[in-house]
Amino acid sequence: MLEGRWLNNNQRMFLVNVYAPCDLARKRVLWDDLKQLRASNPPGAWCFLGDFNSIRSQEERISSSNRIADPSGISDFNQWISEMELQEIKCVGSSFTCIRPNGSVKSRLDRFLVSDQWMSNWPDSCQHVLPRDFSDHCPTILQTKMLDWGPKPFRVADWWIHQKGYQRVVREAWSSAQQGGWGGVVLKNKLKYLKEVIRQWSKDYGFINDKGIHKIQKKLNEVEDLASNRSLSEDEIKAKRDLQQELWEASNAYESLLRQKSRAKWLKEGDRNSAYFHKVINFRRHYNGLQGILIHGVWIQNPMKLRMKL
């Protein structure tokens, strides 16, 4: 295990290199040892990497003899990953990392498993399986690099519709963007202008994030501290009611935003489980991210080179 700190944000990091045994009994001993290792260390961003000598499903192994992998080993490995609260990051390249010299068996044994803290810091992490040479295992590397593939699509947040003034802003922006010309171009320009107006209107609601909500809570606590020492004036009572209403609206809007990003519609509306929503958001963002595009057998990761080819 390698332990250190990421200097940019003073984040504690743990990198654990794993080489698991082949038999199931000793694997179970290793899984328990790794649980104790993590439990005995302080919280941080964890990454377990290496040859786990285990597969997560029958699809991760192909054998010429059509031999089925031991379901107990698959179940134990997946259960250990779940109990450790780890997730496997997206993989690019070959589906198998271990190939016998005669090609009779192909398996996915090598992988990177990371914690939620890791994904929060580096949501664009991706593992790349490279071609093998002398070894029967393919080299696998972990890359974390932000790629700019162009502008992101504009989406309407659900909480906007319930805010006072939103419909008025939309109507005024749509009516004021009057111009002549071909209908398709006019519609495109009106939508573009409306998008910028809504974005600016959304920025004015600066409390739709953790920091903004905490600021409202701090102001409300200050007023309540005054009320514990003396009677509040009518203006202070009104200010307290306004802060309570503002806090309620901001909290509901923030939860609505997280629900929409996570798309976890099956959760009961109103349940506050922000940590869960953040995990789902990071997981979806990670798997939806583009790490590169394969064009005529050439793997391109540089957006500028892609634009030149197109």
Side-chain angles (χ1 to χ4, degrees):
M1 183 179 75
L2 175 65
E3 177 185 355
R5 286 188 180 274
W6 190 256
L7 296 181
N8 285 352
N9 57 4
N10 199 32
Q11 171 73 62
R12 189 184 292 270
M13 296 177 57
F14 300 91
L15 301 176
V16 182
N17 189 24
V18 177
Y19 180 55
C22 294
D23 62 280
L24 184 57
R26 289 196 295 163
K27 283 180 189 175
R28 288 170 175 167
V29 174
L30 176 61
W31 302 154
D32 290 337
D33 289 343
L34 292 176
K35 288 180 188 177
Q36 295 178 10
L37 175 67
R38 184 172 180 181
S40 61
N41 282 278
W46 286 79
C47 177
F48 293 83
L49 63 143
D51 180 3
F52 291 86
N53 256 318
S54 296
I55 59 175
R56 302 194 63 184
S57 66
Q58 296 289 349
E59 289 74 21
E60 291 189 345
R61 175 166 295 164
I62 295 179
S63 174
S64 58
S65 62
N66 294 324
R67 182 180 177 184
I68 299 177
D70 182 12
S72 299
I74 296 176
S75 177
D76 284 359
F77 187 42
N78 285 323
Q79 183 178 354
W80 173 77
I81 294 174
S82 177
E83 291 175 352
M84 292 281 284
E85 296 183 349
L86 301 174
Q87 54 183 293
E88 184 170 1
I89 57 181
K90 184 166 57 177
C91 181
V92 175
S94 174
S95 301
F96 306 101
T97 63
C98 180
I99 304 174
R100 288 187 180 177
N102 60 5
S104 60
V105 179
K106 300 179 181 180
S107 304
R108 178 168 176 76
L109 305 179
D110 309 86
R111 62 188 82 232
F112 289 84
L113 302 171
V114 299
S115 65
D116 294 328
Q117 292 89 339
W118 184 285
M119 291 302 300
S120 296
N121 289 323
W122 303 285
D124 59 325
S125 298
C126 182
Q127 50 185 331
H128 294 253
V129 180
L130 306 180
R132 68 184 184 93
D133 41 29
F134 301 107
S135 173
D136 56 352
H137 284 260
C138 299
T140 307
I141 62 174
L142 174 66
Q143 285 189 339
T144 301
K145 182 171 63 174
M146 298 297 292
L147 299 177
D148 182 12
W149 295 99
K152 297 181 181 179
F154 176 76
R155 294 184 177 90
V156 175
D158 292 341
W159 68 269
W160 292 348
I161 301 174
H162 303 289
Q163 295 299 313
K164 297 178 181 178
Y166 171 74
Q167 295 185 8
R168 177 181 54 80
V169 169
V170 173
R171 284 196 300 267
E172 292 178 355
W174 190 261
S175 301
S176 62
Q178 299 296 335
Q179 55 181 284
W182 183 57
V185 176
V186 172
L187 178 62
K188 170 180 171 292
N189 292 334
K190 285 170 71 75
L191 289 173
K192 183 178 179 181
Y193 175 72
L194 178 62
K195 178 179 69 174
E196 296 303 322
V197 171
I198 294 177
R199 275 181 173 169
Q200 185 58 47
W201 173 84
S202 177
K203 288 180 180 179
D204 293 340
Y205 281 84
F207 53 71
I208 309 303
N209 53 49
D210 277 331
K211 292 183 179 179
I213 292 175
H214 288 323
K215 287 182 180 179
I216 301 175
Q217 289 176 333
K218 184 178 179 181
K219 293 180 181 178
L220 183 59
N221 290 335
E222 290 174 353
V223 176
E224 290 180 344
D225 289 340
L226 292 176
S228 62
N229 297 322
R230 62 174 175 81
S231 299
L232 298 179
S233 64
E234 292 185 2
D235 291 339
E236 290 172 334
I237 294 175
K238 183 179 181 302
K240 181 181 178 182
R241 284 199 300 264
D242 292 342
L243 286 172
Q244 288 175 332
Q245 181 64 25
E246 189 177 358
L247 179 60
W248 176 259
E249 293 177 355
S251 298
N252 284 340
Y254 186 52
E255 290 180 10
S256 173
L257 181 64
L258 293 178
R259 280 195 298 272
Q260 185 176 2
K261 285 185 176 181
S262 67
R263 296 183 182 178
K265 299 298 185 181
W266 52 271
L267 272 183
K268 183 180 178 181
E269 293 288 333
D271 284 353
R272 183 171 183 84
N273 197 350
S274 298
Y276 165 79
F277 287 123
H278 281 299
K279 291 178 184 178
V280 176
I281 291 168
N282 288 333
F283 185 79
R284 289 185 58 85
R285 182 180 299 161
H286 165 65
Y287 268 87
N288 289 338
L290 282 176
Q291 301 298 326
I293 297 179
L294 190 66
I295 300 180
H296 303 305
V298 179
W299 180 252
I300 300 178
Q301 291 183 273
N302 190 326
M304 295 303 299
K305 291 184 179 179
L306 179 63
R307 295 188 182 108
M308 292 174 62
K309 285 184 173 293
L310 297 178

